Amino acid sequence: MTLHHTIKQKLSNFKQDESGATAIEYGLFAALIGAVIVAAIAGLGTTLGLGFEGVEGALRDGFADADIVIADPYAN
């Protein structure tokens, strides 16, 4: 086998090998899924926070009507 033939064979094998491209595609797909999960959790967190604030307000109103004082855990 000549050097020219060996180089030509190696280049041909390299052009036909798609494993690197497949790995990049999987990596991009995983990054996309991660971004969607982060966005969903961020939106869900906001919704849950607003829901808990509503529950907290209702409890405070209920306690105020019953003349019960509760401490504010966030007060300095």
Side-chain angles (χ1 to χ4, degrees), residues 1-71:
M1 228 191 250
T2 65
L3 179 62
H4 182 264
H5 183 347
T6 304
I7 292 173
K8 198 172 177 181
Q9 183 67 33
K10 295 260 186 207
L11 286 174
S12 176
N13 289 344
F14 180 74
K15 284 176 21 179
Q16 293 174 359
D17 184 17
E18 295 183 4
S19 61
T22 303
I24 290 172
E25 289 168 357
Y26 282 134
L28 290 173
F29 191 63
L32 176 65
I33 290 173
V36 168
I37 289 172
V38 167
I41 289 174
L44 184 62
T46 301
T47 302
L48 284 175
L50 292 173
F52 282 121
E53 287 176 10
V55 170
E56 178 190 12
L59 288 173
R60 286 192 182 277
D61 291 344
F63 286 136
D65 291 343
D67 292 329
I68 298 173
V69 178
I70 56 173

